[in-house]
Amino acid sequence: MDLTAMTARVREDVQDEDEANYRWTDDQVEGAIERAVREFSIVAPIQQQDDIATVDSSRDIDISSLSGLIRMESIEFPIGENPSHYQKFRIWQDTIQMSDEGDGGDARVKWYKEHTLDAETSTIPTQFEEIIVLGATGYLATSASVYTVDKATIAGKWATINFLKWGKERLERYEKKLKALKSRIISKEFYTD
């Protein structure tokens, strides 16, 4: 599901489908989706692996090319030893500092990356798209409760309470699904090595 389809799906859930009279702007809906995608990415990031050249006699490796970096998993250098030789490392801005000096050869960098959801593509697996919908709708509903505090609405004084209650329920379900997913991932990582 791309961003356009996700936006339509979120609008459907919050019953905001009247294009002539949207409650939320596209920027607001997309912002809520972006927030949910970011939070999902922290729990279930994309696993990446890149071979990056080291610099002879330097412990530093430039990682500015790693777009959407969430966290580093490991640095193997030199590559291909048996058993594998993993570096102790520190990260400062766009640089990794390894415990050993480079020799101009590649280091194998394993890292975790943010998911993307844009007008053309999505890296979010289909089975997890509803988690994004839950989070985005929860954030929109709770933001609507704040907006309606001092506004006259057809629902009267109950509009604020109803938006807040529904938004909190959605966010609670969203957080439970993220927690369950996180524990599934952690146990899978623990047992597959």
Side-chain angles (χ1 to χ4, degrees), residues 4-186:
T4 304
M6 180 66 75
T7 300
R9 178 71 185 82
V10 167
R11 284 195 185 280
E12 177 186 332
D13 260 26
V14 293
Q15 299 177 5
D16 189 31
E17 299 175 276
D18 179 3
E19 290 181 33
N21 196 23
Y22 278 151
R23 178 183 309 277
W24 293 280
T25 66
D26 283 341
D27 285 347
Q28 290 170 318
V29 174
E30 289 171 12
I33 292 169
E34 183 180 311
R35 181 176 178 180
V37 169
R38 229 180 4 259
E39 292 168 348
F40 175 78
S41 293
I42 290 168
V43 170
I46 301 169
Q47 296 177 344
Q48 293 286 117
Q49 176 178 297
D50 289 283
D51 292 348
I52 301 175
T54 63
V55 176
D56 193 26
S57 301
S58 173
R59 298 181 197 281
D60 295 345
I61 299 176
D62 178 10
I63 56 169
S64 59
S65 63
L66 304 183
S67 177
L69 173 68
I70 292 178
R71 66 181 181 273
M72 300 299 292
E73 177 65 25
S74 66
I75 314 292
E76 181 185 352
F77 179 77
I79 297 172
E81 290 191 355
N82 191 4
S84 298
H85 184 74
Y86 291 101
Q87 297 285 317
K88 291 181 182 177
F89 63 92
R90 285 187 291 208
I91 300 173
W92 184 257
Q93 296 179 345
D94 289 335
T95 303
I96 294 174
Q97 187 176 62
M98 304 186 299
S99 52
D100 294 337
E101 289 184 350
D103 61 5
D106 286 346
R108 181 153 296 145
V109 179
K110 292 184 179 177
W111 57 290
Y112 296 98
K113 178 180 181 171
E114 286 182 22
H115 283 274
T116 56
L117 176 63
D118 58 35
E120 297 167 8
T121 60
S122 172
T123 59
I124 299 165
T126 306
Q127 70 268 28
F128 301 124
E129 290 172 345
E130 286 303 307
I131 292 176
I132 306 303
V133 172
L134 268 175
T137 55
Y139 289 128
L140 288 171
T142 55
S143 74
S145 73
V146 172
Y147 176 76
T148 60
V149 165
D150 62 351
K151 305 284 189 245
T153 66
I154 294 171
K157 65 180 181 179
W158 302 110
T160 300
I161 295 166
N162 290 337
F163 272 128
L164 185 59
K165 182 179 176 187
W166 189 74
K168 281 185 173 183
E169 287 171 0
R170 301 287 287 184
L171 288 174
E172 283 173 14
R173 287 177 48 208
Y174 166 69
E175 289 166 7
K176 281 181 185 176
K177 286 185 179 287
L178 285 180
K179 272 187 182 178
L181 179 61
K182 184 176 183 175
S183 34
R184 233 174 65 206
I185 289 169
I186 288 171

